[in-house]
Amino acid sequence: GNGDVVGMRYRQCYNMEVRNCTFKNMHSVMWATGTSGITVDNVTTENCKNGVSFGTSTGLAVMNSKIVVDEAYGVRADGSVKATLDVENSTINAAQPVIVRYLTGEYTVNLKDEKLESKGIYNVVFTNGKDDAAYVAPTGSYTLNGANEKYNVYPAEETEVLKASNGS
Protein backbone atom coordinates (compact mmCIF):
# COMPACT_ATOMS: atom_id res chain seq x y z
CA GLY A 1 0.00 0.00 0.00
CA ASN A 2 0.91 3.67 -0.17
CA GLY A 3 -0.29 4.63 3.32
CA ASP A 4 -3.82 5.59 2.24
CA VAL A 5 -5.19 2.11 1.53
CA VAL A 6 -7.21 -0.24 3.75
CA GLY A 7 -5.86 -3.76 3.23
CA MET A 8 -9.24 -5.54 3.44
CA ARG A 9 -12.83 -4.30 3.67
CA TYR A 10 -15.65 -6.66 4.67
CA ARG A 11 -19.39 -6.16 5.08
CA GLN A 12 -21.95 -8.73 6.13
CA CYS A 13 -19.52 -11.65 6.21
CA TYR A 14 -19.64 -14.67 8.49
CA ASN A 15 -17.03 -17.09 9.85
CA MET A 16 -13.97 -15.59 8.18
CA GLU A 17 -10.32 -16.23 8.90
CA VAL A 18 -7.44 -13.93 8.01
CA ARG A 19 -4.24 -15.91 8.54
CA ASN A 20 -0.52 -15.69 7.90
CA CYS A 21 -0.49 -12.21 6.37
CA THR A 22 1.86 -9.24 6.48
CA PHE A 23 0.45 -5.78 5.77
CA LYS A 24 2.89 -3.09 4.67
CA ASN A 25 2.37 0.67 4.28
CA MET A 26 -1.40 0.55 4.86
CA HIS A 27 -3.78 3.07 6.37
CA SER A 28 -5.45 0.16 8.18
CA VAL A 29 -5.16 -3.60 8.03
CA MET A 30 -8.89 -4.29 7.91
CA TRP A 31 -12.30 -2.68 8.31
CA ALA A 32 -15.07 -5.21 8.95
CA THR A 33 -18.68 -4.08 9.46
CA GLY A 34 -21.76 -6.14 10.30
CA THR A 35 -19.73 -9.32 10.45
CA SER A 36 -19.79 -12.34 12.73
CA GLY A 37 -17.06 -14.82 13.53
CA ILE A 38 -13.81 -13.20 12.38
CA THR A 39 -10.45 -14.62 13.39
CA VAL A 40 -7.25 -12.69 12.72
CA ASP A 41 -4.37 -15.12 13.22
CA ASN A 42 -0.63 -14.63 12.67
CA VAL A 43 -0.96 -11.14 11.15
CA THR A 44 1.97 -8.72 11.15
CA THR A 45 2.04 -5.02 10.30
CA GLU A 46 4.93 -3.02 8.87
CA ASN A 47 4.74 0.77 8.60
CA CYS A 48 0.93 0.90 8.93
CA LYS A 49 -1.01 3.83 10.41
CA ASN A 50 -3.71 1.70 12.10
CA GLY A 51 -4.53 -1.94 12.77
CA VAL A 52 -7.75 -3.96 12.67
CA SER A 53 -11.21 -2.34 12.91
CA PHE A 54 -14.40 -4.28 13.71
CA GLY A 55 -17.55 -2.18 13.30
CA THR A 56 -20.78 -3.65 14.73
CA SER A 57 -19.27 -7.12 14.54
CA THR A 58 -19.50 -10.10 16.89
CA GLY A 59 -17.42 -13.17 17.70
CA LEU A 60 -14.00 -11.60 17.18
CA ALA A 61 -10.51 -12.95 17.82
CA VAL A 62 -7.01 -11.58 17.29
CA MET A 63 -4.35 -14.17 18.00
CA ASN A 64 -0.65 -14.86 17.44
CA SER A 65 -0.27 -11.45 15.79
CA LYS A 66 2.14 -8.53 15.96
CA ILE A 67 0.31 -5.27 15.31
CA VAL A 68 2.65 -2.32 15.69
CA VAL A 69 1.18 0.83 14.16
CA ASP A 70 2.20 4.46 13.78
CA GLU A 71 -1.01 6.23 14.81
CA ALA A 72 -4.26 5.50 16.63
CA TYR A 73 -5.63 1.99 17.13
CA GLY A 74 -4.23 -1.52 17.13
CA VAL A 75 -7.60 -3.27 17.51
CA ARG A 76 -10.78 -1.17 17.36
CA ALA A 77 -14.35 -2.36 17.82
CA ASP A 78 -17.75 -0.68 17.89
CA GLY A 79 -19.65 -1.45 21.09
CA SER A 80 -23.23 -0.81 20.02
CA VAL A 81 -23.93 -4.56 19.90
CA LYS A 82 -23.53 -7.44 22.35
CA ALA A 83 -20.15 -8.88 21.40
CA THR A 84 -16.95 -10.53 22.54
CA LEU A 85 -13.40 -9.75 21.47
CA ASP A 86 -10.62 -12.19 22.34
CA VAL A 87 -6.99 -11.02 22.15
CA GLU A 88 -4.56 -13.88 22.67
CA ASN A 89 -0.81 -14.35 22.34
CA SER A 90 -0.41 -11.06 20.47
CA THR A 91 1.74 -7.95 20.73
CA ILE A 92 -0.12 -4.72 20.01
CA ASN A 93 1.68 -1.37 20.11
CA ALA A 94 -0.38 1.72 19.29
CA ALA A 95 -1.72 4.93 20.82
CA GLN A 96 -4.81 2.82 21.62
CA PRO A 97 -3.82 -0.86 21.61
CA VAL A 98 -7.45 -1.97 22.21
CA ILE A 99 -10.40 0.41 21.98
CA VAL A 100 -14.15 -0.23 22.08
CA ARG A 101 -15.89 2.94 20.90
CA TYR A 102 -19.60 3.88 20.77
CA LEU A 103 -20.15 1.57 23.76
CA THR A 104 -23.92 1.46 24.27
CA GLY A 105 -24.32 -2.33 24.22
CA GLU A 106 -22.82 -5.13 26.27
CA TYR A 107 -19.19 -5.83 25.41
CA THR A 108 -16.64 -8.35 26.67
CA VAL A 109 -12.90 -8.22 26.04
CA ASN A 110 -10.85 -11.29 26.98
CA LEU A 111 -7.08 -10.90 27.18
CA LYS A 112 -4.73 -13.88 27.37
CA ASP A 113 -0.94 -13.98 27.02
CA GLU A 114 -0.95 -10.63 25.22
CA LYS A 115 1.35 -7.64 25.38
CA LEU A 116 -0.37 -4.26 24.96
CA GLU A 117 2.02 -1.33 24.66
CA SER A 118 0.47 2.12 24.55
CA LYS A 119 1.99 5.17 22.89
CA GLY A 120 -0.61 7.14 24.86
CA ILE A 121 -2.04 6.85 28.37
CA TYR A 122 -4.40 3.85 28.14
CA ASN A 123 -3.84 0.28 26.99
CA VAL A 124 -7.56 -0.54 26.85
CA VAL A 125 -10.31 2.04 26.27
CA PHE A 126 -14.10 1.72 26.59
CA THR A 127 -15.74 4.94 25.38
CA ASN A 128 -19.17 6.06 24.20
CA GLY A 129 -17.41 8.53 21.91
CA LYS A 130 -15.20 8.26 18.88
CA ASP A 131 -11.64 7.00 18.94
CA ASP A 132 -10.20 10.28 17.67
CA ALA A 133 -11.94 12.57 20.20
CA ALA A 134 -12.03 13.00 23.97
CA TYR A 135 -13.12 9.81 25.70
CA VAL A 136 -16.68 9.70 27.05
CA ALA A 137 -17.89 7.35 29.79
CA PRO A 138 -19.77 4.47 28.14
CA THR A 139 -23.51 4.09 28.62
CA GLY A 140 -23.31 0.38 27.86
CA SER A 141 -21.68 -2.26 30.01
CA TYR A 142 -18.36 -3.99 29.61
CA THR A 143 -16.40 -6.85 31.07
CA LEU A 144 -12.62 -6.95 30.83
CA ASN A 145 -11.04 -10.30 31.63
CA GLY A 146 -7.32 -10.96 31.98
CA ALA A 147 -6.01 -7.42 32.48
CA ASN A 148 -4.90 -8.29 36.03
CA GLU A 149 -4.20 -4.66 36.92
CA LYS A 150 -1.24 -4.55 34.52
CA TYR A 151 -2.87 -2.13 32.09
CA ASN A 152 -4.24 1.41 32.25
CA VAL A 153 -7.93 1.18 31.39
CA TYR A 154 -10.44 3.92 30.58
CA PRO A 155 -12.68 4.35 32.44
CA ALA A 156 -10.84 3.16 35.52
CA GLU A 157 -12.90 0.81 37.66
CA GLU A 158 -12.88 1.28 41.42
CA THR A 159 -11.45 -1.69 43.23
CA GLU A 160 -13.13 -3.14 46.33
CA VAL A 161 -10.29 -1.66 48.42
CA LEU A 162 -10.95 1.84 47.08
CA LYS A 163 -14.70 1.49 47.62
CA ALA A 164 -14.14 0.38 51.23
CA SER A 165 -11.69 3.21 51.98
CA ASN A 166 -14.18 5.76 50.60
CA GLY A 167 -16.84 4.47 52.98
CA SER A 168 -19.08 3.10 50.21
Side-chain angles (χ1 to χ4, degrees):
N2 63 5
D4 295 326
V5 176
V6 174
M8 296 180 285
R9 178 74 170 112
Y10 298 110
R11 290 185 180 186
Q12 304 302 319
C13 297
Y14 301 93
N15 301 323
M16 295 186 51
E17 296 179 358
V18 179
R19 294 187 187 273
N20 307 321
C21 299
T22 298
F23 294 86
K24 297 180 182 179
N25 305 317
M26 297 282 162
H27 176 276
S28 299
V29 169
M30 175 174 64
W31 288 354
T33 306
T35 58
S36 179
I38 295 182
T39 298
V40 174
D41 187 5
N42 195 29
V43 167
T44 302
T45 61
E46 294 179 16
N47 196 36
C48 293
K49 292 180 181 177
N50 298 294
V52 178
S53 177
F54 302 111
T56 60
S57 298
T58 61
L60 311 169
V62 176
M63 53 202 322
N64 308 310
S65 295
K66 185 173 182 180
I67 301 173
V68 177
V69 296
D70 298 332
E71 293 189 19
Y73 59 86
V75 177
R76 177 178 75 183
D78 289 358
S80 59
V81 295
K82 182 176 182 177
T84 300
L85 167 64
D86 296 322
V87 178
E88 184 174 334
N89 194 34
S90 295
T91 296
I92 303 172
N93 186 325
Q96 304 154 328
V98 175
I99 182 167
V100 178
R101 63 184 187 167
Y102 309 130
L103 181 51
T104 57
E106 183 180 331
Y107 217 90
T108 300
V109 174
N110 298 311
L111 304 175
K112 182 178 179 188
D113 300 324
E114 78 303 325
K115 184 176 181 183
L116 306 180
E117 298 177 7
S118 178
K119 295 175 184 173
I121 297 171
Y122 301 104
N123 304 92
V124 181
V125 173
F126 296 94
T127 180
N128 193 25
K130 298 174 12 177
D131 55 322
D132 60 354
Y135 299 143
V136 178
T139 57
S141 64
Y142 68 88
T143 302
L144 176 60
N145 297 312
N148 298 328
E149 299 179 6
K150 66 181 177 180
Y151 295 125
N152 288 330
V153 177
Y154 179 89
E157 289 288 323
E158 285 187 299
T159 65
E160 291 303 317
V161 173
L162 284 176
K163 287 180 185 176
S165 68
N166 290 334
S168 329

